[in-house]
Amino acid sequence: MRPAKPTPPDSTRPEYLAGLFEFARDLGLHRIGVTDAAVLDRARPELERRRREGLSDTMGFTFRDPVRSTDPTRAVEGARSIIVAGLSYHLDEDPETDDLPPLTARVARYARHDFYTPLRTALQKVALRLRADGFRAVVFADENDLVDREVAWRAGLGWFGKNANLLLPGAGSWFVLGSVVTDAQLQPAAKPVPDGCGACRACIDDCPTGAIVEPGVVDARRCLAWLVQKPGVCPREFRGALGNRIYGCDDCQESCPPTVRLADRVTGRVDIGGTGAHIDTLELLTSTDEHLLERFGRWYLAERNPRWLRRNALVILGNTAAGIDDERVGRVLRQYLEGDDPLLRAHALWAASRIGRSDLVALVDHDADPLVRDELVALGSA
Ligand code: B12
């Protein structure tokens, strides 16, 4: 005979929540909060507006179904509360950038190591504890079902910076966020944190592509963090600004006074090592797809295709290889210019032209592919 379901304890008691919070902190989660599971009525119209105005570009994620991603009860039937946590990804050893070897590609901090698995693992343990008490509890972190920043804001974890990142008081924004959506009735204690940006607009002014078009509003069509993920031709107008970024962009956080000033207050740790901050661009371009998927597979790669990393790396070569006396540069560009992928040929052509290698540009003078022809026209070579 199936054992009777345990009668759930009274989760509305403050001690019950305090016990959960203490448990969560002992698991290494740096900040914890709780909110109700009401519809995210501020985020929904914002998601719809971004789609309507093209600000979300071709992104899917939470923009694909705003009604779903802003209704926690769609994520967990009967949801009543959401426990939200922040895990720092700020590492003491974050290396400086000025003494880098040439032809180095840069990885944004949140992607240098795997911070999401430790976050999800800890949240899973919180969910298991709730389930052991007879409640339904499901973890969401960086998934399409829930707008993580909005629930974190509602749970009093931090304020929305003008860069749209959530800044946690006394710590800044180097945090990944995740939640446990549950049908347990928990007593939301905290109020949303008041704005801490004031008149500061450093992020808006320092964004290399002017992607922060309003306080709290990022135009993804200009945001390098999206453009390195977005499939297709990298927009010419932003290739220079992309610099040596292979994945993600930290500029709007590195220019943020509270995040810079407070970063060391809460430091993360590396449970699951990743690529680290810097990658050898030529090594990436001469690796097999299997090797690239093995090494970078936890990143968002559209269509699970490392082709977009190769595209980014070719743009980085165009931005960093000028004047570099390394015959490998020519050899690699030739490999792509003679390769069978027209999109990568087009970006290799752009890079060759940018570093003044007309000898390499000549290799595709008679290329019939429209993407390469377009590039030749744009370069004034056709
Ligand atoms: C789509 C997405 C992106 C897109 C679009 C980002 C965007 N701004 O929408 C791209 C690819 C560009 C991106 C980039 C990054 N992302 Co991202 N991304 C997401 C994802 C999957 C959905 C975000 C979403 O739903 N946005 C919806 C829009 C409408 O929300 P919003 O832009 O934040 O707008 C809010 C504010 O405007 C606020 N608001 C309303 N009124 C007002 C008024 C004022 C004055 C202000 C300031 C704000 C404000 O309300 C809006 C709705 O909540 C989430 C994971 C998730 N499931 O939630 C991660 C997530 C937001 N990303 C994250 C990270 C770390 C990043 C990067 C820092 C990574 C990097 N280094 O490259 C950059 C930062 C870029 C930026 N400045 O936002 C973290 C953010 C953690 C934090 N502390 O904030 C998240 C939460 C993932 C996670 N679970 O950890 N991301």
Side-chain angles (χ1 to χ4, degrees):
M1 202 179 66
R2 278 163 65 85
K5 248 182 122 208
T7 1
D10 174 3
S11 60
T12 64
R13 287 177 306 108
E15 311 77 64
Y16 185 85
L17 187 60
L20 272 179
F21 278 16
E22 192 188 339
F23 179 63
R25 286 198 193 89
D26 294 348
L27 292 166
L29 295 169
H30 293 109
R31 295 287 171 88
I32 314 286
V34 64
T35 182
D36 58 35
V39 166
L40 309 178
D41 47 19
R42 187 180 72 151
R44 183 175 293 177
E46 195 54 31
L47 283 151
E48 286 159 352
R49 170 208 161 191
R50 304 279 176 89
R51 280 173 48 141
R52 207 174 43 250
E53 297 177 7
L55 296 165
S56 57
D57 199 9
T58 56
M59 287 190 296
F61 309 129
T62 48
F63 294 95
R64 184 171 290 117
D65 183 349
V67 172
R68 178 181 173 76
S69 61
T70 57
D71 181 355
T73 65
R74 298 277 297 269
V76 175
E77 201 188 329
R80 290 196 187 87
S81 311
I82 309 177
I83 292 172
V84 193
L87 183 76
S88 172
Y89 59 86
H90 169 67
L91 305 175
D92 292 341
E93 103 260 357
D94 276 331
E96 288 321 309
T97 52
D98 37 24
D99 50 5
L100 289 177
L103 308 179
T104 296
R106 190 160 186 236
V107 179
R109 292 172 190 232
Y110 86 119
R112 292 175 185 174
H113 304 288
D114 181 352
F115 296 102
Y116 285 104
T117 301
L119 172 68
R120 292 190 181 105
T121 305
L123 288 169
Q124 279 304 350
K125 291 183 180 146
V126 174
L128 278 174
R129 181 163 159 153
L130 283 160
R131 284 192 221 130
D133 286 346
F135 298 111
R136 200 174 290 145
V138 182
V139 170
F140 296 90
D142 201 25
E143 278 136 74
N144 303 340
D145 312 83
L146 199 63
V147 181
D148 298 334
R149 281 196 285 219
E150 188 71 9
V151 290
W153 176 77
R154 287 164 65 108
L157 250 66
W159 80 87
F160 268 97
K162 291 189 177 118
N163 58 17
N165 281 295
L166 200 82
L167 283 90
L168 285 67
S173 64
W174 301 123
F175 289 81
V176 288
L177 303 170
S179 306
V180 177
V181 178
T182 176
D183 62 358
Q185 183 71 60
L186 303 168
Q187 286 314 321
K191 298 248 166 318
V193 171
D195 170 58
C197 295
C200 174
R201 48 175 289 125
C203 54
I204 296 175
D205 299 338
D206 291 1
C207 170
T209 58
I212 306 172
V213 290
E214 271 171 52
V217 178
V218 171
D219 180 347
R221 294 166 295 192
R222 309 178 68 87
C223 178
L224 294 172
W226 168 238
L227 294 175
V228 291
Q229 294 181 5
K230 179 182 180 179
V233 172
C234 176
R236 276 186 209 91
E237 68 182 298
F238 299 127
R239 291 181 192 171
L242 192 133
N244 68 346
R245 297 175 188 78
I246 188 76
Y247 192 80
C249 175
D250 283 336
D251 286 40
C252 58
Q253 297 186 90
E254 282 171 349
S255 60
C256 171
T259 292
V260 172
R261 194 176 62 247
L262 303 166
D264 294 340
R265 299 277 182 81
V266 180
T267 49
R269 59 165 205 255
V270 177
D271 293 349
I272 305 170
T275 62
H278 299 113
I279 290 168
D280 180 310
T281 309
L282 291 173
E283 189 198 325
L284 187 154
L285 285 166
T286 51
S287 300
T288 64
D289 277 358
E290 294 64 40
H291 180 65
L292 291 179
L293 283 173
E294 194 192 310
R295 207 168 160 213
F296 306 110
R298 69 182 163 77
W299 289 353
Y300 173 79
L301 297 177
E303 305 130 5
R304 300 310 294 151
N305 191 336
R307 181 187 192 204
W308 312 122
L309 289 179
R310 297 180 191 282
R311 171 204 61 193
N312 301 348
L314 287 166
V315 172
I316 292 171
L317 263 194
N319 290 333
T320 58
I324 300 287
D325 177 19
D326 183 331
E327 59 78 30
R328 293 178 305 156
V329 172
R331 189 156 26 92
V332 168
L333 284 175
R334 175 183 292 276
Q335 176 200 326
Y336 281 88
L337 286 161
E338 293 169 347
D340 53 18
D341 183 327
L343 181 136
L344 295 179
R345 287 205 302 277
H347 288 80
L349 164 60
W350 180 82
S353 160
R354 197 159 158 89
I355 66 175
R357 293 293 303 267
S358 51
D359 58 321
L360 295 172
V361 170
L363 291 171
V364 290
D365 269 355
H366 306 295
D367 196 309
D369 185 90
L371 286 179
V372 180
R373 306 267 13 123
D374 282 358
E375 206 62 44
L376 286 165
V377 169
L379 293 168
S381 320

